[in-house]
Amino acid sequence: MRETYLMEYIDKYRRERELNVDVFVDGICSERSYSRYLSNEKDLPFDVFLKLLEKIDVVFKDFIIFAENDQIQKDINYMYFCEYIRIGMIPMAEQLYESLDLSKIPFNIKRMHFPIAEEIYKHLKKKTTFYDFNQRCKNILNYNSLLKTEILGREEIESLLLYIFHAGDVEKEEVFSYLFNYLTAYNPKIASAQIENSFSKIANGLL
């Protein structure tokens, strides 16, 4: 098992119960092994995992439900940050950003969506020039190649839509044209449903 966050919760329970590591792991594993399980340097055997749960008097099923639900809530905060950036709620984004662990960005938004939101945030906070912001976003998106691809994933589409709200006029036109052609070529009904809200703001000059 390499579910690091599960070990983090076990250690949290240990500390809450004020159990020293040597006492907690006695008869289960060495202190060094426990440390390596916690830092993800070593696989956690399932039988050891169950014995550690017994030490903190937690039922396996209840522990997994709690840990996974808590992890989901943490992941949602990264997505909320992106959404706050998209709708312009910068004070809310700033408050949330300060609490995020940037080493644990969820995989589904790690490659493009969150980095684009982060660059927009930094630019709006006057930490980067528009030129630097625009170039960094293009690098994240692999812009020129992306606008030539025939297959887009959800993260690519959402990242482009997020970027277009803050891009220059030329890039807005390029992305708008590309997405419109991409979606209408794929399915006109999908296109009308998916792009109406986002693109109507661009057409009305609300950006």
Side-chain angles (χ1 to χ4, degrees):
M1 295 173 61
R2 280 197 179 270
E3 303 294 345
T4 309
Y5 72 92
L6 297 182
M7 273 301 300
E8 290 175 353
Y9 285 115
I10 285 180
D11 197 59
K12 176 183 177 182
Y13 278 117
R14 176 191 67 78
R15 286 182 276 109
E16 288 177 349
R17 286 161 173 72
E18 298 182 348
L19 292 172
N20 292 331
V21 174
D22 59 337
V23 175
F24 184 54
V25 303
D26 184 44
I28 300 176
C29 64
S30 67
E31 292 181 54
R32 175 171 169 74
S33 290
Y34 182 81
S35 177
R36 294 180 69 189
Y37 297 146
L38 189 58
S39 63
N40 205 27
E41 296 176 24
K42 183 178 180 180
D43 281 334
L44 173 65
F46 189 66
D47 62 324
V48 171
F49 174 62
L50 292 179
K51 289 176 181 178
L52 292 173
L53 283 182
E54 289 179 11
K55 273 289 184 80
I56 54 177
D57 195 27
V58 174
V59 178
F60 173 73
K61 180 181 177 181
D62 293 342
F63 176 83
I64 294 298
I65 291 174
F66 165 77
E68 290 189 345
N69 285 344
D70 192 69
Q71 187 66 28
I72 289 171
Q73 182 59 52
K74 289 180 179 178
D75 287 352
I76 286 175
N77 286 338
Y78 295 88
M79 298 173 192
Y80 274 140
F81 171 76
C82 295
E83 182 62 12
Y84 287 148
I85 291 296
R86 187 187 70 80
I87 62 179
M89 296 180 65
I90 306 307
M92 294 294 291
E94 181 175 19
Q95 182 178 358
L96 194 55
Y97 185 76
E98 293 174 354
S99 69
L100 298 178
D101 183 345
L102 300 183
S103 68
K104 297 182 178 180
I105 302 169
F107 176 78
N108 61 319
I109 61 171
K110 184 175 184 178
R111 186 167 59 92
M112 288 185 181
H113 199 191
F114 187 88
I116 290 293
E118 189 176 25
E119 289 300 332
I120 292 171
Y121 170 72
K122 291 177 181 177
H123 177 58
L124 294 178
K125 295 293 292 182
K126 310 298 183 183
K127 295 182 179 180
T128 59
T129 65
F130 177 77
Y131 175 82
D132 287 340
F133 152 75
N134 207 35
Q135 290 303 117
R136 289 178 183 178
C137 285
K138 284 187 171 184
N139 289 337
I140 292 167
L141 293 167
N142 197 5
Y143 185 80
N144 292 330
S145 295
L146 188 61
L147 295 194
K148 295 176 183 177
T149 189
E150 296 181 357
I151 300 176
L152 288 178
R154 178 174 179 177
E155 187 183 12
E156 284 88 352
I157 293 176
E158 292 183 349
S159 299
L160 283 170
L161 288 174
L162 183 59
Y163 168 64
I164 201 175
F165 275 78
H166 300 273
D169 291 340
V170 173
E171 287 80 12
K172 284 179 182 177
E173 181 61 31
E174 289 175 345
V175 174
F176 178 90
S177 178
Y178 167 72
L179 286 176
F180 184 82
N181 290 332
Y182 174 84
L183 291 171
T184 52
Y186 176 67
N187 188 321
K189 292 182 179 180
I190 292 179
S192 62
Q194 290 188 350
I195 67 178
E196 181 178 359
N197 289 336
S198 296
F199 290 170
S200 63
K201 294 181 179 180
I202 298 171
N204 292 331
L206 297 181
L207 299 181

